[in-house]
Amino acid sequence: FIQLDTCWPPVSTMSVKVNSAFASVLLAFGLLLPCQLGLPTTTNQGDRLIVFVPTRQAQLDWLELIHSQAGKPGEVGENVRFWFGPGLLNQETIVFVPGGDYGRLVAAIPSSQDTYSWWTVQKENLGKLVTGETRRSSDISSAYRTYQEIGDDLPSKRIVWIDAGIHAREWIAPATALYFIDKIVQGYKSSDSTIKSMLDNFAFYIAPLLNPDGYVYSYTFTRERLWRKTRSAQAGGCYGVDLNRNFGYHWGGQGSSSDPCDENFRGSSAFSEPETRAVRDKLLAIRLRTISFITMHSYGQDWMVPYGYAYNVSVDNYAQMMRPVQAAADKLKSLGRNYDIGNSAVVTYPAAGASDDYAASIGVPYAHTIELPDTGQYRFLLPQSEIPRVGLETLEALKVYLGYIAAANQPRDE
Ligand code: 0X9
Ligand code: ZN
């Protein structure tokens, strides 16, 4: 999951959180701009790091004794921290000594019977490092970040949800989601005013690959490039569920199949799949803050509005929902790309159990399936040379769309 956010005024920061609810691997990175004040101040003056090299058993025994005194009130070793060791003879033992304990410890060190000292102070000014490290830097990776900066949530922002890759073969969708992430991060850093206001207005929750198993299968060239579903084992020796038929709103209806071998297999029950459950659980958790839900697919060049589980069913706020969509389509048209807009069953076909319907059903004010290019020349096999154009036009369209929503809507309170 990728979450893009900025600090609420007056401070500004941006964080990107990536974690996959679907894979066992957790990937997380922080990406920030200057945000908050530095560390709380504690005095660690006089803290030192001492390196001991015991060459005699008595010295090693003494280190063990000090080691055993950790946390024991009144003992010399009470506050001493062993960062390394004690180990064997002739091995370094690294010890952190708080400033207030230094004198007492040094007085207790058994004197060397050799011509050289068996210990040296490696860092006299460790306290400065402990307290003096500030994280002020506009560069993502050149400073340590706070928990909040790395991924805590900012409840005041309205959320824009963007997902992609729920269908394995629709490769342009995850590519476009990644393009979007890249450009808004770059744009924010370079103070692009439109992108800055977009990120000041909204928190972005972006899941660029909702169906990783299917995507991997499609991406493995010896397998099936045109695979659509997941890869879970099903009855009858067939594989996969169409995740976009597995959501729990009018699950089982038109355009979905009960046949595990069918491309539109809906699964054994609503939310039978971990991928759809993960989406559901996250969406429910952020429901009241989420103003827009966008799921990216291909192909067809359509920007759609629920409901799509049947013909002649519509959301109550259809007209309201269509306004920013119209603005987006106008923008796309000016960029030479014709999009069809409207009710999803009409624009494509009835398909029950899809995520756009589910998002609308739980009260998200704007919910869309976007079918990215093209319209039939390459279909699912759009060459990757098209990524920059599709990425750019989609970014421009989303800017217009979100600008419209930002102007027309206040935060929800329910
Ligand atoms: O069939 C789908 O899931 C989507 N088209 S695709 O070719 N990408 O598979 C369209 C879904 C539209 N939404 C609803 N009908 N609810
Ligand atoms: Zn699709």
Side-chain angles (χ1 to χ4, degrees):
F1 217 94
I2 298 185
Q3 176 189 329
L4 282 150
D5 219 324
T6 64
C7 265
W8 199 235
V11 286
S12 66
T13 189
M14 170 156 47
S15 70
V16 176
K17 191 168 76 179
V18 179
N19 65 65
S20 166
F22 316 116
S24 57
V25 182
L26 182 92
L27 175 68
F29 59 94
L31 177 50
L32 319 127
L33 294 169
C35 186
Q36 47 174 247
L37 304 171
L39 284 168
T41 43
T42 49
T43 11
N44 293 63
Q45 271 178 9
D47 291 356
R48 290 174 178 82
L49 213 53
I50 304 181
V51 180
F52 293 89
V53 183
T55 55
R56 298 167 185 273
Q57 191 57 42
Q59 294 167 340
L60 195 55
D61 291 347
W62 181 81
L63 286 171
E64 299 280 10
L65 173 72
I66 297 298
H67 188 225
S68 72
Q69 293 172 345
K72 291 189 182 146
E75 300 286 1
V76 174
E78 177 186 357
N79 302 310
V80 170
R81 296 285 171 267
F82 283 73
W83 287 7
F84 195 94
L88 305 171
L89 282 176
N90 301 311
Q91 236 181 20
E92 279 188 354
T93 290
I94 315 285
V95 172
F96 171 82
V97 190
D101 295 66
Y102 181 70
R104 192 167 62 159
L105 184 83
V106 166
I109 299 175
S111 54
S112 178
Q113 292 145 331
D114 304 295
T115 51
Y116 54 87
S117 176
W118 71 287
W119 60 278
T120 50
V121 176
Q122 193 185 58
K123 282 246 182 302
E124 290 280 6
N125 58 350
L126 201 62
K128 269 194 195 155
L129 288 177
V130 174
T131 56
E133 188 78 320
T134 58
R135 293 182 298 279
R136 299 314 87 207
S137 166
S138 63
D139 190 4
I140 308 156
S141 51
S142 60
Y144 295 129
R145 299 303 181 182
T146 64
Y147 167 66
Q148 277 78 8
E149 288 173 322
I150 290 169
D152 197 12
D153 218 337
L154 298 164
S156 46
K157 293 280 187 71
R158 287 165 300 177
I159 292 168
V160 174
W161 168 292
I162 298 174
D163 72 58
I166 202 168
H167 288 143
R169 64 194 171 191
E170 300 166 7
W171 289 8
I172 191 61
T176 302
L178 293 181
Y179 182 100
F180 182 79
I181 292 163
D182 186 41
K183 295 302 173 200
I184 63 175
V185 168
Q186 300 302 330
Y188 196 90
K189 290 181 74 179
S190 64
S191 299
D192 176 303
S193 61
T194 313
I195 285 172
K196 252 184 145 297
S197 69
M198 206 163 79
L199 282 164
D200 287 339
N201 276 319
F202 300 109
F204 287 88
Y205 282 50
I206 304 174
L209 196 57
L210 282 189
N211 174 11
D213 293 354
Y215 188 78
V216 166
Y217 192 71
S218 165
Y219 209 103
T220 306
F221 292 100
T222 50
R223 306 270 167 74
E224 281 179 56
R225 170 67 181 81
L226 292 172
W227 189 257
R228 169 180 169 91
K229 300 188 285 180
T230 62
R231 290 296 303 166
S232 53
Q234 302 297 333
C238 285
Y239 288 88
V241 169
D242 182 347
L243 294 176
N244 215 29
R245 301 292 180 274
N246 191 242
F247 284 81
Y249 185 67
H250 288 269
W251 178 85
Q254 284 183 55
S256 72
S257 172
S258 60
D259 176 0
C261 301
D262 194 282
E263 287 244 288
N264 297 116
F265 178 48
R266 61 175 81 117
S268 55
S269 60
F271 295 118
S272 58
E273 305 309 298
E275 296 89 342
T276 51
R277 285 200 299 273
V279 171
R280 174 197 63 190
D281 293 347
K282 188 70 188 174
L283 261 183
L284 287 177
I286 62 172
R287 184 175 72 97
L288 296 180
R289 283 180 55 202
T290 304
I291 189 145
S292 173
F293 172 94
I294 293 168
T295 179
M296 290 182 174
H297 289 245
S298 72
Y299 61 91
Q301 294 172 205
D302 312 305
W303 197 310
M304 299 183 268
V305 166
Y307 288 106
Y309 64 87
Y311 285 117
N312 302 316
V313 285
S314 187
V315 285
D316 294 340
N317 62 336
Y318 179 82
Q320 176 210 358
M321 228 192 263
M322 280 297 285
R323 274 179 223 122
V325 175
Q326 182 67 61
D330 291 346
K331 182 71 190 182
L332 285 159
K333 180 146 195 152
S334 78
L335 296 169
R337 198 76 91 174
N338 284 320
Y339 265 65
D340 287 339
I341 60 174
N343 174 271
S344 58
V346 175
V347 170
T348 54
Y349 38 76
S355 67
D356 50 1
D357 280 12
Y358 180 72
S361 79
I362 62 168
V364 177
Y366 297 84
H368 314 284
T369 296
I370 299 178
E371 298 284 356
L372 294 167
D374 57 15
T375 53
Q377 191 188 359
Y378 290 105
R379 300 172 198 268
F380 302 116
L381 303 175
L382 198 69
Q384 67 182 353
S385 58
E386 293 296 311
I387 293 171
R389 181 180 167 193
V390 174
L392 182 65
E393 72 196 16
T394 308
L395 171 65
E396 293 304 318
L398 284 169
K399 281 185 199 168
V400 170
Y401 166 90
L402 291 172
Y404 207 104
I405 289 183
N409 293 273
Q410 293 303 309
R412 307 174 75 204
D413 42 43
E414 251 186 61

